[in-house]
Amino acid sequence: MTKNWPDIERKYFMSTFKRLPIVLVRGEGVRVWDEEGKSYLDMVAGIAVNVLGHGHPAVVNAVADQAKKLIHVSNYYYSIPQLQLAELLVENSCGDRVFFCNSGAEANEGAIKLARKFGKIHRNGAFEVITVSGSFHGRTLATIAATGQAKFQEPFMPMPAGFKNVPFNDIEAIKRETTPLTCAILIECIQGESGVHPADPQYIKDLRRWCDEQGLLLMLDEIQTGMGRTGKFLAYENYGIEPDVFTMAKGLGGGVPIGALVARESAACFTLSDHGSTFGGNPLACAAGVATVEHILNNGIVDNARIMGELLLSGLRSLQAKRSIVREVRGVGLMVALDLQQDKAHQLVDSALSKGLILAATGPSTIRMVPALIIAKTDIEEAISKLDEVLAML
Ligand SMILES: *Cc1c(COP(=O)(O)O)cnc(C)c1O
């Protein structure tokens, strides 16, 4: 290493991240390189962020061109990339209006604020948002309160008020907990952080019907599932329903930080000064977003995610048949998880890394794969064969 980066991290950085012992300096397509020049097949892609892989010319050129023209202006003025990206998102979804921010948590914060405003206008001041167990909605105070996992909340009690958490895939629980104070339901169609757990199709349909009957907003967190990851541009398309509100981030800028809150006209109740963001809709991030969304929609990337996802899943199923340590495999498109019989996920990630394969553990016994959507058949085959080797060593 050019410097002892781990020591520098220990000295200067808040210790919130458990790092794997590599220093990444470069990437191209589905591969990244460390300081020593060793290459890795990246099945994590910045946690579902680098949807077009690393160094994709569409993203690189858009960022470079925009940087030369205008990196940032405030939202006091019109700027073109922001409006182009808003148009693209609306024309390719059920949404009518967009608000841009800088991350997933911030997009969900915006959704929660929007739901409260909606409750004030349409439901006598209702402000409660119902969320489900095993969900993940971000790390700000409101979004950890929305997240249905105690470990994210415990060090920071008390939580902000206005959230109710109920079991996942249980429509009766939602109905039981809906009161005159409820304004919205916030949910992921396919839970990502907790290990790729898809909602039952009937559950999502029932949720849609319940929200319609009760006048509640159905808000979908598409931060991880959006951008084609599940074999559809947005995951709700797999379920045959449309939400009132959805949030995006992760892959939206092809690696550049950006978030979006999208709402149908009936839910888009923010008016002048209700919400804002200094960096939100920044020209650089939005130019990256335009390039990424256009490339995904115009080059069959969504279909590639579906086809490669099926290939990856069937490869994992054959490993499951062969290696008894594999308990279960799950996936929709290129959002895939593998459960082990024992708590050896971190060990598996470590040995995969030494074989040049980047995986992520989402729990003691669960591995998640969310590779770039441009991944090819030969890359999938390489991932499966390396995984087979490391499974044999466990
Ligand atoms: C990653 C993620 C978030 C949080 O996004 P950040 O950009 O880290 O704030 C929220 N919801 C889901 C479903 C996510 O996967």
Side-chain angles (χ1 to χ4, degrees):
M1 288 185 202
T2 51
K3 281 189 176 175
N4 192 330
W5 299 113
D7 274 356
I8 291 172
E9 204 241 23
R10 261 187 297 280
K11 181 160 180 210
Y12 294 109
F13 209 83
M14 289 202 196
S15 307
T16 62
F17 298 105
K18 185 179 179 296
R19 316 267 189 188
L20 290 166
I22 55 171
V23 181
L24 295 175
V25 293
R26 187 168 70 84
E28 197 182 313
V30 294
R31 268 157 235 279
V32 287
W33 282 261
D34 68 14
E35 261 204 324
E36 270 86 50
K38 180 173 172 188
S39 84
Y40 302 84
L41 173 57
D42 183 4
M43 295 301 282
V44 178
I47 318 183
V49 166
N50 304 95
V51 284
L52 296 182
H54 301 274
H56 194 288
V59 181
V60 171
N61 293 336
V63 169
D65 291 347
Q66 186 60 42
K68 285 178 206 155
K69 282 191 231 162
L70 190 64
I71 291 179
H72 179 80
V73 280
S74 81
N75 282 306
Y76 289 145
Y77 322 101
Y78 297 99
S79 70
I80 297 168
Q82 177 181 108
L83 300 173
Q84 289 173 324
L85 185 56
E87 183 177 12
L88 266 176
L89 293 182
V90 166
E91 295 305 327
N92 291 286
S93 76
C94 65
D96 297 307
R97 290 180 187 275
V98 180
F99 178 89
F100 288 116
C101 52
N102 311 287
S103 69
E106 204 187 337
N108 284 337
E109 284 269 348
I112 293 160
K113 283 179 70 177
L114 190 74
R116 287 190 174 197
K117 177 96 192 274
F118 181 90
K120 224 176 220 38
I121 299 170
H122 299 291
R123 279 183 62 83
N124 288 317
F127 61 90
E128 266 179 12
V129 176
I130 301 180
T131 65
V132 301
S133 55
S135 60
F136 182 78
H137 298 299
R139 301 294 206 119
T140 63
L141 270 177
T143 57
I144 57 172
T147 291
Q149 300 187 62
K151 67 177 179 193
F152 293 113
Q153 304 178 346
E154 268 154 13
F156 309 107
M157 290 296 189
M159 285 296 105
F163 297 92
K164 257 191 196 160
N165 194 261
V166 303
F168 185 38
N169 274 329
D170 181 350
I171 189 68
E172 293 312 318
I174 297 267
K175 291 184 177 176
R176 231 175 9 249
E177 294 297 330
T178 300
T179 72
L181 293 182
T182 313
C183 62
I185 293 165
L186 171 64
I187 192 162
E188 299 151 87
C189 280
I190 299 148
Q191 294 186 339
E193 199 277 338
S194 63
V196 187
H197 296 286
D200 297 336
Q202 191 57 45
Y203 176 64
I204 296 292
K205 288 202 174 75
D206 290 345
L207 274 182
R208 180 65 275 176
R209 189 168 321 119
W210 182 247
C211 288
D212 288 339
E213 282 170 21
Q214 299 290 314
L216 309 174
L217 294 182
L218 179 58
M219 309 203 294
L220 295 183
D221 181 336
E222 291 265 10
I223 288 164
Q224 188 163 159
T225 53
M227 295 299 282
R229 174 139 318 266
T230 69
K232 300 280 185 192
F233 184 60
L234 291 152
Y236 68 73
E237 298 168 45
N238 294 300
Y239 286 85
I241 59 105
E242 291 181 341
D244 302 297
V245 174
F246 65 90
T247 51
M248 300 180 79
K250 288 205 163 82
L252 180 55
V256 178
I258 183 169
L261 164 63
V262 187
R264 287 158 104 173
E265 190 66 46
S266 53
C269 56
F270 279 158
T271 53
L272 213 55
S273 305
D274 272 342
H275 200 36
S277 166
T278 299
F279 287 120
N282 167 289
L284 191 74
C286 288
V290 168
T292 307
V293 172
E294 281 185 339
H295 191 88
I296 283 180
L297 294 176
N298 300 335
N299 294 275
I301 306 295
V302 179
D303 285 338
N304 192 64
R306 181 176 47 76
I307 296 162
M308 292 302 129
E310 282 164 10
L311 208 61
L312 179 57
L313 203 58
S314 75
L316 292 177
R317 292 217 168 99
S318 63
L319 292 185
Q320 181 187 14
K322 182 167 150 195
R323 306 272 175 214
S324 58
I325 184 141
V326 180
R327 185 157 55 81
E328 188 179 297
V329 296
R330 292 179 296 277
V332 183
L334 281 172
M335 195 170 167
V336 171
L338 177 152
D339 285 345
L340 299 172
Q341 298 285 9
Q342 297 154 28
D343 289 353
K344 289 188 169 177
H346 292 283
Q347 200 182 319
L348 181 79
V349 169
D350 291 345
S351 33
L353 193 70
S354 67
K355 295 226 174 272
L357 177 67
I358 294 189
L359 302 172
T362 56
S365 62
T366 305
I367 299 288
R368 174 175 45 167
M369 281 173 260
V370 282
L373 309 183
I374 52 141
I375 197 165
K377 186 164 181 273
T378 49
D379 305 319
I380 302 274
E381 288 163 357
E382 180 184 334
I384 295 293
S385 105
K386 285 191 165 149
L387 196 55
D388 191 24
E389 284 176 49
V390 286
L391 284 168
M393 287 161 34
L394 275 192

